[in-house]
Amino acid sequence: MSTTGATRVAGVIGDPVRHSLSPVIHNAAFAEAGLDWTFVAFEVLDGDAPGAVAGARALGIDGLSVTMPHKATVLEALDRLSPTATKLGAVNAIAREGTEFVGHSTDGAGLIDALAFDEGFAPEGKTCAVIGAGGAARAVILALADAGANSVIVINRTPANAEIAALLAGRVGVVGTEDLVRDADLIVNATPAGMIGNDTPAIDPTLFHSNQLVVDLVYAPPLTSTIQAARAAGAHAVGGLGMLVHQAAHAFTLWTGQEAPLPAMSAAAMAALAHGRR
Ligand SMILES: NC(=O)c1ccc[n+]([C@@H]2O[C@H](COP(=O)([O-])OP(=O)(O)OC[C@H]3O[C@@H](n4cnc5c(N)ncnc54)[C@H](OP(=O)(O)O)[C@@H]3O)[C@@H](O)[C@H]2O)c1
């Protein structure tokens, strides 16, 4: 569908952002759904997010994804936050509701959907370990607790950050050491360990075993050192592309009011990754 005078615009603000898969995923979704929308990447420097949001309002932009380094600093420019975004103090999607710009956090829901739809895994009653205590980890910790996990063990190189992140899980939140990974049904790596240029596994590979599901939030490269180590130990291990696509699906629905065309979004993301995009 070519761009017209009626084309509606959504986009992502971040820096760096030129590597982002979001334009590929969302433009595939708009095309599949037959919507006259387009999605672009806006390179917005650290500190400029409030100005970018003011510009988006003036331009009539209908939806924004928000990535590093703006997930917290963008809050001051918004009219309202969803309950999840309020708890996390972070936003990864902004939707226009009438005249208001409303901040949402769809990462945690994206992980829960990826677990359910792609792996047939429900966190309810399960022991979960999250490696990391940054923005992605916090969204995951809150979502796992809300989904009924029996315990959410937070393991992080800086224990003080783990303490803060574990509070999000309420009474099921525990700060732990790496050896507790052995007891976990689900292990989520929410650190950049294993990303391109950093090939050390997120945790000691001898802690993995065959009764575990391991999700590495890193999706470039698709086969990280953590995934390889977990699979070698007999665990079922997957990368972060599922969460990325499902969090985008939530944003798509917030913006358009329609169910997201997940197969088209996944196919576009996988094709872009295979061609070296990230
Ligand atoms: N698949 C998805 O949809 C998705 C979504 C969001 C993020 N992610 C990925 O998740 C990862 C984390 O992102 P984020 O936004 O949460 O980052 P962040 O806020 O910067 O947090 C990074 C976390 O990783 C820890 N860390 C950083 N480098 C480490 C290292 N070399 N070894 C061990 N721990 C390390 C940090 O520990 P300290 O507390 O000690 O600093 C912190 O807990 C990134 O790889 C990102 O690409 C994926």
Side-chain angles (χ1 to χ4, degrees), residues 46-142:
D46 197 4
D48 285 348
V53 171
R57 284 181 199 268
L59 291 168
I61 287 174
D62 284 298
L64 285 175
S65 295
V66 182
T67 186
M68 298 297 286
H70 306 307
K71 288 184 170 186
T73 56
V74 78
L75 264 63
E76 65 183 78
L78 303 177
D79 300 299
R80 228 161 14 92
L81 298 178
S82 72
T84 302
T86 303
K87 283 184 196 164
L88 294 171
V91 153
N92 76 333
I94 300 171
R96 185 188 284 279
E97 286 184 29
T99 58
E100 292 189 322
F101 264 27
V102 184
H104 298 264
S105 176
T106 66
D107 278 338
L111 177 77
I112 299 299
D113 283 359
L115 291 174
F117 290 106
D118 303 341
E119 313 307 329
F121 180 94
E124 192 173 355
K126 299 290 193 334
T127 299
C128 305
V130 178
I131 322 297
R138 290 175 194 210
V140 164
I141 290 163
L142 177 62

